[in-house]
């Protein structure tokens, strides 16, 4: 089995970091993940800008994914969140295209207690409708919140039905985060089959252990082996998904990558 395994790295230093930790695939932020602004991708982001980044990663044989900022919530019923979220997502999609990224990971978002979740699902459809991009949008399952749209499978089913009605639906894929699924209450033993039955695809796996108990709703990643997810469940998800793998716990991810590679053969 030969899935590509890698990690989240810094934009400014992606190729060197990938070499250091043995990553065949990297994920980057194009901007501060907590901010609404995307700085221009010039020499200050990476020497030579977007074009140099694309050429260097391609020359090194590294596949690149982009993680969209956390502040984005295209499902929101609040105009002052939804409208800037769409604008920011479009900027990230454009930037991802410029660096030759294979996909952009976006959290599934949430509504509030007083909202009709159907409005949130339809806001996702509209967001996909409006996007101008050739880069796939990879919706990621999230760990917590009772009003999340991509935490539990029943909601994911409704979310998928909505986005599949959008123009550009063929460019919508899925990122399965093992920590989020575990903490969010999805059974990892059947997660890949259950999700594929809904989405038809898993494009990327975020292989993170969880500091918390199954179903806790807490989004706290741990290095593989340091958390609560049984090793065989984590390996089982990665093997069954057969998609590129990104480890995204803070700190040295070399051991996480080596651990997975050893067990996947
Ligand atoms: Zn993740």
């Amino acid at each position: 089995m030969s899935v590509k395994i890698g990690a989240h790295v810094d934009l400014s230093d992606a190729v060197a970091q990938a070499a250091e930790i043995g990553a065949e695939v990297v994920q980057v932020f194009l901007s501060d993940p907590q901010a609404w602004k995307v700085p221009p991708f010039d020499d200050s982001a990476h020497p030579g800008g977007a074009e140099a980044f694309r050429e260097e990663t391609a020359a090194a044989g590294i596949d690149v994914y982009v993680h969209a900022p956390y502040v984005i919530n295209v499902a929101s019923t609040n105009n002052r969140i939804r409208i800037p979220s769409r604008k920011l997502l479009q900027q990230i999609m454009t930037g991802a295209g410029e660096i030759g990224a294979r996909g952009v990971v976006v959290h599934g978002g949430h509504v509030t207690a007083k909202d009709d979740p159907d409005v949130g699902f339809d806001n996702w459809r509209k967001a996909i409708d409006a996007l101008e991009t050739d880069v796939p949008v990879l919706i990621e399952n999230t760990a917590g919140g009772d009003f999340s749209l991509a935490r539990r499978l029943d909601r994911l089913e409704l979310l998928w039905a909505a986005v599949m009605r959008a123009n550009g639906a063929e460019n919508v894929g899925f990122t399965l985060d093992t920590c989020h699924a575990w903490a969010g209450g999805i059974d990892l033993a059947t997660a890949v089959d259950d999700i594929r039955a809904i989405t038809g695809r898993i494009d990327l796996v975020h292989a993170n252990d969880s500091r918390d108990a199954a179903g806790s709703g807490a989004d706290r990643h741990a290095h593989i082996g340091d958390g609560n997810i049984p090793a065989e469940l984590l390996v089982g998800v990665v093997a069954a998904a057969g998609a590129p793998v990104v480890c995204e716990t803070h700190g040295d991810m070399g051991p996480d990558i080596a651990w997975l590679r050893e067990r996947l053969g």
Side-chain angles (χ1 to χ4, degrees):
M1 154 141 200
S2 61
V3 296
K4 294 194 173 185
I5 304 174
H8 189 101
V9 299
D10 295 329
L11 186 65
S12 59
D13 194 29
V15 172
Q17 280 185 45
E20 212 171 288
I21 59 178
E24 302 156 304
V25 47
V26 297
Q27 177 179 282
V28 293
F29 291 124
L30 295 183
S31 57
D32 175 351
Q34 307 288 0
W36 290 98
K37 265 200 153 67
V38 184
F41 199 142
D42 55 17
D43 285 321
S44 64
H46 177 86
E51 196 179 327
F53 184 91
R54 188 179 69 233
E55 285 168 4
E56 288 162 29
T57 49
I62 295 167
D63 292 348
V64 178
Y65 291 83
V66 169
H67 199 303
Y70 302 131
V71 292
I72 289 176
N73 182 12
V74 297
S76 178
T77 60
N78 181 343
N79 293 342
R80 286 181 298 183
I81 296 172
R82 188 182 66 261
I83 293 168
S85 290
R86 278 203 207 170
K87 184 179 165 209
L88 179 55
L89 181 56
Q90 180 62 60
Q91 288 176 304
I92 297 295
M93 299 310 301
T94 302
E98 286 167 4
I99 63 167
R102 292 175 179 248
V104 172
V105 178
V106 189
H107 286 176
H110 56 90
V111 292
T112 67
K114 63 175 174 35
D115 291 326
D116 176 356
D118 283 344
V119 178
F121 299 132
D122 204 47
N123 281 341
W124 252 113
R125 177 191 63 78
K126 291 177 184 166
I128 298 297
D129 261 342
L131 273 188
E132 290 177 27
T133 182
D134 295 326
V135 180
V137 176
L138 307 179
I139 300 175
E140 179 178 6
N141 64 306
T142 51
D146 286 334
F147 308 102
S148 303
L149 301 191
R151 171 181 175 177
R152 297 195 171 92
L153 297 175
D154 53 344
R155 288 278 173 86
L156 183 62
E157 201 165 344
L158 295 167
L159 171 59
W160 221 260
V163 294
M164 286 301 109
R165 289 195 291 271
N167 289 318
E170 68 284 356
N171 252 346
V172 179
F174 190 75
T175 300
L176 171 56
D177 186 305
T178 54
C179 168
H180 298 176
W182 168 265
I186 291 176
D187 182 358
L188 286 182
T190 58
V192 169
D193 285 346
D194 293 345
I195 289 167
R196 264 211 203 102
I198 295 168
T199 64
R201 58 196 277 185
I202 293 174
D203 298 77
L204 187 67
V205 173
H206 282 169
N208 304 306
D209 207 334
S210 169
R211 287 210 260 163
D212 300 282
S216 63
D219 182 3
R220 299 193 304 166
H221 296 181
H223 286 287
I224 297 173
D226 290 350
N228 282 302
I229 303 179
E232 67 276 13
L233 278 182
L234 211 145
V235 172
V237 166
V238 174
V245 181
V246 167
C247 302
E248 46 174 18
T249 304
H250 287 293
D252 179 11
M253 283 169 290
D256 300 71
I257 293 171
W259 189 97
L260 283 168
R261 206 166 267 143
E262 197 177 296
R263 281 157 185 84
L264 292 165

